[in-house]
Amino acid sequence: PLKPAVPPFVDRITTAPLVVAVPSPVEMRSAPPVFEVLRPAETNTSPPTPLVPLPMLKTTEPARPAVAAPVPRNTDPLLLSFEEPVLKNKEPLKPAAPPLVVRITTAPLEVAVPSPEEMRTVPPVFKV
């Protein structure tokens, strides 16, 4: 890509935040308002009467559909044929000769490993 001859923004503008001393408001103490309204000791209100009478409860079952009774069917099972079944007897296939005829036997490697010499050491004693 081609480089521009002059960068588009040569001048750098830095703006510091506006710091203005804002005085705190003068302290004011005021008590909450007191309402002097007399409340009744007991209230008894009945629900409003309905403008129209409530509907009566009616239970109506739906009419039975007009269909004819089902036609009974009786189907006998199919009879079995009395032919003798054909006996199928198949012997399993014999496997071919193994590809490796030479048997290789490897004995375990027995090497005498000497035991380490006995060493007796005294545990360290720390002086406090």
Side-chain angles (χ1 to χ4, degrees):
L2 299 175
K3 292 184 179 179
V6 178
F9 301 107
V10 177
D11 297 332
R12 185 177 184 98
I13 300 173
T14 305
T15 306
L18 182 62
V19 179
V20 178
V22 178
S24 299
V26 180
E27 182 178 342
M28 294 177 58
R29 292 184 181 226
S30 60
V34 178
F35 296 107
E36 295 182 11
V37 177
L38 299 176
R39 295 189 178 141
E42 189 176 319
T43 304
N44 189 2
T45 307
S46 59
T49 57
L51 300 175
V52 292
L54 296 175
M56 300 278 296
L57 178 64
K58 287 185 178 182
T59 56
T60 305
E61 293 183 11
R64 294 184 59 94
V67 285
V71 177
R73 278 196 204 180
N74 189 3
T75 306
D76 292 332
L78 298 174
L79 297 176
L80 299 175
S81 62
F82 292 107
E83 296 178 9
E84 289 291 323
V86 178
L87 179 63
K88 293 183 180 180
N89 190 5
K90 289 188 177 183
E91 295 289 327
L93 298 175
K94 292 183 180 180
L100 303 175
V101 180
V102 180
R103 183 178 180 96
I104 299 173
T105 305
T106 305
L109 183 62
E110 293 179 9
V111 178
V113 177
S115 299
E117 295 180 10
E118 184 177 336
M119 295 176 62
R120 292 183 182 235
T121 57
V122 179
V125 179
F126 295 108
K127 294 182 180 179
V128 180

